[in-house]
């Protein structure tokens, strides 16, 4: 009521002084942040920015708290500030600055405040009224949150619901956020939250709710993340199937080798694992063969086209599923069957690569054989004219630069056709006789530096 009374007094004072032509734009000459956050026990300054020279104007006004209740804090003018002495934690005001300062924040400080100020500018006889409001929050830093789960017993898909609660020992003005596997959990048809998001209800639970849950507690000045809490849900069986690493499978029909044991596995997505029952179909009905996830069959003891059934049962969800398959016996090559299912071991690219390498090797072999055959080289020497051979012998060192080289021959007693020569060192020989003599001379007189030998 004190704040209301002061407000009425200022309004009446303003009405007596108002004349036409008041500058309404001055409402922007005072600014104040609309929201400010503080920590319990700390000081706070509600800073008022004045965009005019406070020393050249006349002003008066007051600060009051309007929420949660009306309380006058301080009245002021250019010269004096009069605080409300009945308040224990009365804010201070240092003129000409009209900002107020709280030395110690407590729970009572939190609320909504209002500043009203009337300003008379030079040359403008009518005052300008300005009103500003600010919301102040005073928070206690949050402690580490803890997650509790209700009920604590096992959860069954589509039957049970669960309530996750995030609680803290310390903290005010707290809001909570939920994360599943580090992803934010939002509201949905099955996920509902309390007002501050401190409680998450999942109704009913499903397989996709399985995961690691965290809750984050936060206020305006602090934030803390809880430890992970695992949510386990019993579900299934789903996607039931029978598999085998042997034989061929085509749409529920297994073709297996007649002379070997065959193993089948019954696989399904389920928690906890299913109880599998293997059943044989007969003309008169069915016969339970065994219980367990793995089934062994001896095809040579069974009739052709035998039908079987795998039934999976989840003991927790009380749900079951079944799938049937037919067993056909045949004489199969295991490797061929494996290849026919998995595809050829060698890809087309590997086949092309190997073929190309083989072709290249064969071509190189043929070229080397044609160019380096010793009989062909010796026949070439024999076909040269005797006059050319003698003239070449007389020329001596004139053509030594052209005939220079190391010649290696292995002479086998008998016909000269059996002589073998290296293609690299066989160059311009005159005769078989010169063949031996020249090799002996070249090997004996070969110089250390080929250039000096040619100049002798």
């Amino acid at each position: 009521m004190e704040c209301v009374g002061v407000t009425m007094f200022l309004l009446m004072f303003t009405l007596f002084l108002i004349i036409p032509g008041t500058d309404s734009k001055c409402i922007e000459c005072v600014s104040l942040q609309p929201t400010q956050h503080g920590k319990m026990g700390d000081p706070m300054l509600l800073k008022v920015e004045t965009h005019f020279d406070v020393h050249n104007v006349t002003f008066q006004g007051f600060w009051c708290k309007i929420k949660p209740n009306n309380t006058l804090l301080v009245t002021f003018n250019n010269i004096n500030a009069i605080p409300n002495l009945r308040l224990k934690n009365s804010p201070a005001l240092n003129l000409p600055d009209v900002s107020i300062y709280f030395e110690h924040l407590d729970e009572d400080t939190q609320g909504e405040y209002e500043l009203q100020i009337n300003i008379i500018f030079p040359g403008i006889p009518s005052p300008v009224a300005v009103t500003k409001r600010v919301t102040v929050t005073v928070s206690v830093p949050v402690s580490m949150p803890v997650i509790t789960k209700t009920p604590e017993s096992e959860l069954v898909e589509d039957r049970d619901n669960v309530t996750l609660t995030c609680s803290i020992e310390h903290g005010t003005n707290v809001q909570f956020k939920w994360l599943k596997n580090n992803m934010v959990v939002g509201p949905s048809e099955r996920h509902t939250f309390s007002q501050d998001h401190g409680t998450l209800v999942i109704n009913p639970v499903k397989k996709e709710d399985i995961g690691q849950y965290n809750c984050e507690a936060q206020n305006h000045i602090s934030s803390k993340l809880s430890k992970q809490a695992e949510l386990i849900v019993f579900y299934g069986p789903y996607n039931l199937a029978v598999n085998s690493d042997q034989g061929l499978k085509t749409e529920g029909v297994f073709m297996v080798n007649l002379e070997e044991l065959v193993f089948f596995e019954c696989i399904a997505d389920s928690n906890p694992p299913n109880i599998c029952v293997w059943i044989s179909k007969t003309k008169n009905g069915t016969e339970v063969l065994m219980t367990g996830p793995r089934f062994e069959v001896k095809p040579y003891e069974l009739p052709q086209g035998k039908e079987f059934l795998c039934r999976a049962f989840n003991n927790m969800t009380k749900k079951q599923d079944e799938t049937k398959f037919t067993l056909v016996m045949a004489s199969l090559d295991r490797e061929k069957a494996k290849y026919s299912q998995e595809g050829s071991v060698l890809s087309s690219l590997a086949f092309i690569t190997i073929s190309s390498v083989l072709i290249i090797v064969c071509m190189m072999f043929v070229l080397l054989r044609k160019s380096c055959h010793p009989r062909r080289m010796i026949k070439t020497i024999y076909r040269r004219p005797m006059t050319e051979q003698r003239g070449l012998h007389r020329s001596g060192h004139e053509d030594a630069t052209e005939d220079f080289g190391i010649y290696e021959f292995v002479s086998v007693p008998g016909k000269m056709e059996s002589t073998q020569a290296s293609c690299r060192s066989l160059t311009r020989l005159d005769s078989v006789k010169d063949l031996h003599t020249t090799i002996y001379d070249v090997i004996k007189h070969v110089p250390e530096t080929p250039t000096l030998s040619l100049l002798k």
Side-chain angles (χ1 to χ4, degrees), residues 153-204:
S153 58
E154 296 83 358
L155 301 173
V156 178
E157 183 182 37
D158 296 326
R159 190 191 73 184
D160 297 332
N161 58 67
V162 64
T163 300
L164 300 177
T165 304
C166 188
S167 58
I168 56 173
E169 292 185 1
H170 308 290
T172 57
N173 302 319
V174 182
Q175 286 291 322
F176 298 92
K177 181 171 64 176
W178 289 91
L179 300 99
K180 173 196 163 191
N181 299 330
N182 298 322
M183 300 295 292
V184 177
V185 179
S188 67
E189 293 182 357
R190 298 188 301 106
H191 299 77
T192 56
F193 297 90
S194 60
Q195 185 175 0
D196 62 356
H197 280 214
T199 302
L200 168 62
V201 179
I202 306 176
N203 184 25

Side-chain angles (χ1 to χ4, degrees), residues 412-428:
V412 180
K415 297 181 180 181
M416 290 305 300
E417 285 78 6
S418 62
T419 303
Q420 299 181 358
S422 172
C423 178
R424 293 179 300 172
S425 61
L426 189 58
T427 58
R428 305 182 72 175

Side-chain angles (χ1 to χ4, degrees), residues 25-287:
K25 294 183 180 180
C26 191
I27 195 170
E28 300 298 333
C29 61
V30 177
S31 60
L32 178 64
Q33 290 185 3
T35 305
Q36 297 191 38
H37 307 293
K39 180 181 177 181
M40 183 75 71
D42 287 357
M44 175 182 282
L45 176 66
L46 299 184
K47 181 65 176 175
V48 178
E49 298 287 346
T50 55
H51 306 290
F52 57 88
D53 187 359
V54 295
H55 299 284
N56 296 329
V57 300
T58 301
F59 62 86
Q60 67 176 11
F62 64 90
W63 276 97
C64 67
K65 184 178 181 180
I66 58 177
K67 288 182 180 180
N69 49 36
N70 269 317
T71 304
L72 178 65
L73 301 178
V74 60
T75 60
F76 58 86
N77 55 31
N78 293 63
I79 303 173
N80 297 317
I82 305 174
N84 188 347
L85 299 179
R86 290 183 293 180
L87 298 178
K88 294 181 180 180
N89 187 20
S90 179
L93 189 147
N94 189 15
L95 295 172
D97 186 3
V98 296
S99 304
I100 57 173
Y101 176 79
F102 295 93
E103 184 177 359
H104 181 82
L105 296 177
D106 54 22
E107 293 182 359
D108 294 335
T109 310
Q110 181 168 283
E112 188 173 348
Y113 294 81
E114 184 178 85
L115 166 66
Q116 289 194 16
I117 182 171
N118 295 317
I119 309 168
I120 300 177
F121 293 94
I124 304 177
S126 60
V128 177
V130 178
T131 301
K132 294 291 180 180
R133 291 185 178 184
V134 56
T135 301
V136 176
T137 63
V138 180
S139 303
V140 176
V142 297
S143 59
M144 176 74 72
V146 178
I147 297 177
T148 56
K149 179 172 72 79
T150 307
E152 297 182 357
S153 58
E154 296 83 358
L155 301 173
V156 178
E157 183 182 37
D158 296 326
R159 190 191 73 184
D160 297 332
N161 58 67
V162 64
T163 300
L164 300 177
T165 304
C166 188
S167 58
I168 56 173
E169 292 185 1
H170 308 290
T172 57
N173 302 319
V174 182
Q175 286 291 322
F176 298 92
K177 181 171 64 176
W178 289 91
L179 300 99
K180 173 196 163 191
N181 299 330
N182 298 322
M183 300 295 292
V184 177
V185 179
S188 67
E189 293 182 357
R190 298 188 301 106
H191 299 77
T192 56
F193 297 90
S194 60
Q195 185 175 0
D196 62 356
H197 280 214
T199 302
L200 168 62
V201 179
I202 306 176
N203 184 25
V205 294
K206 288 187 174 293
K207 173 188 174 183
E208 52 266 29
D209 296 320
I210 296 174
Q212 301 290 337
Y213 285 78
N214 298 86
C215 76
E216 183 181 7
Q218 57 186 354
N219 57 18
H220 302 295
I221 61 172
S222 63
S223 176
K224 292 285 186 179
L225 187 67
S226 72
K227 295 181 179 180
Q228 289 186 339
E230 185 177 12
L231 187 64
I232 300 176
V233 178
F234 294 139
Y235 65 91
Y238 298 128
N239 305 320
L240 182 63
V242 174
N243 293 328
S244 177
D245 294 333
Q246 299 162 281
L248 302 173
K249 180 183 178 181
T250 306
E251 296 182 355
V253 178
F254 288 89
M255 183 177 294
V256 298
N257 200 322
L258 182 62
E259 299 178 353
E260 65 180 4
L261 292 175
V262 183
F263 297 93
F264 295 96
E265 290 183 337
C266 197
I267 302 173
D269 184 12
S270 176
N271 182 37
N274 298 301
I275 299 174
C276 298
V277 179
W278 298 90
I279 301 172
S280 172
K281 284 191 173 183
T282 62
K283 294 181 180 180
N284 299 328
T286 59
E287 178 186 357

Side-chain angles (χ1 to χ4, degrees), residues 199-447:
T199 302
L200 168 62
V201 179
I202 306 176
N203 184 25
V205 294
K206 288 187 174 293
K207 173 188 174 183
E208 52 266 29
D209 296 320
I210 296 174
Q212 301 290 337
Y213 285 78
N214 298 86
C215 76
E216 183 181 7
Q218 57 186 354
N219 57 18
H220 302 295
I221 61 172
S222 63
S223 176
K224 292 285 186 179
L225 187 67
S226 72
K227 295 181 179 180
Q228 289 186 339
E230 185 177 12
L231 187 64
I232 300 176
V233 178
F234 294 139
Y235 65 91
Y238 298 128
N239 305 320
L240 182 63
V242 174
N243 293 328
S244 177
D245 294 333
Q246 299 162 281
L248 302 173
K249 180 183 178 181
T250 306
E251 296 182 355
V253 178
F254 288 89
M255 183 177 294
V256 298
N257 200 322
L258 182 62
E259 299 178 353
E260 65 180 4
L261 292 175
V262 183
F263 297 93
F264 295 96
E265 290 183 337
C266 197
I267 302 173
D269 184 12
S270 176
N271 182 37
N274 298 301
I275 299 174
C276 298
V277 179
W278 298 90
I279 301 172
S280 172
K281 284 191 173 183
T282 62
K283 294 181 180 180
N284 299 328
T286 59
E287 178 186 357
V288 176
L289 300 177
M290 65 171 295
T291 301
R294 191 175 175 88
F295 178 45
E296 176 184 325
V297 178
K298 299 177 181 179
Y300 51 85
E301 296 180 355
L302 299 175
Q304 186 67 266
K306 184 70 173 178
E307 291 187 0
F308 293 92
L309 189 71
C310 174
R311 181 175 296 159
F313 177 75
N314 189 317
N315 195 35
M316 297 300 299
T317 64
K318 307 303 180 183
K319 295 180 181 180
Q320 70 177 26
D321 194 7
E322 61 183 33
T323 182
K324 62 181 180 179
F325 63 97
T326 303
L327 192 60
V328 177
M329 281 69 72
S331 296
L332 297 176
D333 186 346
R334 183 182 301 178
E335 295 299 325
K336 290 183 179 179
K338 181 178 179 180
Y339 291 154
S340 62
Q341 281 187 309
E342 299 179 358
S344 177
V345 176
L346 294 178
S347 64
S348 59
L349 181 60
F351 178 77
I352 294 173
T353 303
I354 294 173
S355 301
S356 302
V357 171
L358 290 176
I359 293 173
I360 292 172
V361 170
C362 292
M363 292 176 65
M364 291 178 64
F365 178 76
V366 172
L367 291 174
L368 290 174
R369 182 174 178 84
K370 287 183 178 181
S371 59
C372 298
H373 198 283
R375 291 187 179 181
R376 184 177 302 235
M377 298 300 298
I378 294 174
K379 287 181 180 179
T380 303
I381 294 172
Y382 278 128
R383 291 173 184 170
R384 298 176 65 176
M386 292 299 294
T387 56
E388 183 182 350
Q389 294 178 15
R390 291 176 181 175
L392 181 60
H393 183 69
R394 292 192 191 100
S395 62
H397 296 286
E398 295 176 359
D399 298 328
T401 57
E402 298 180 0
D403 294 337
F404 181 82
I406 298 174
Y407 305 90
E408 298 178 1
F409 291 87
V410 179
S411 179
V412 180
K415 297 181 180 181
M416 290 305 300
E417 285 78 6
S418 62
T419 303
Q420 299 181 358
S422 172
C423 178
R424 293 179 300 172
S425 61
L426 189 58
T427 58
R428 305 182 72 175
L429 294 181
D430 295 330
S431 63
V432 178
K433 181 178 179 180
D434 292 336
L435 176 65
H436 299 285
T437 304
T438 304
I439 291 174
Y440 176 79
D441 290 340
V442 171
I443 293 174
K444 183 176 182 181
H445 299 289
V446 89

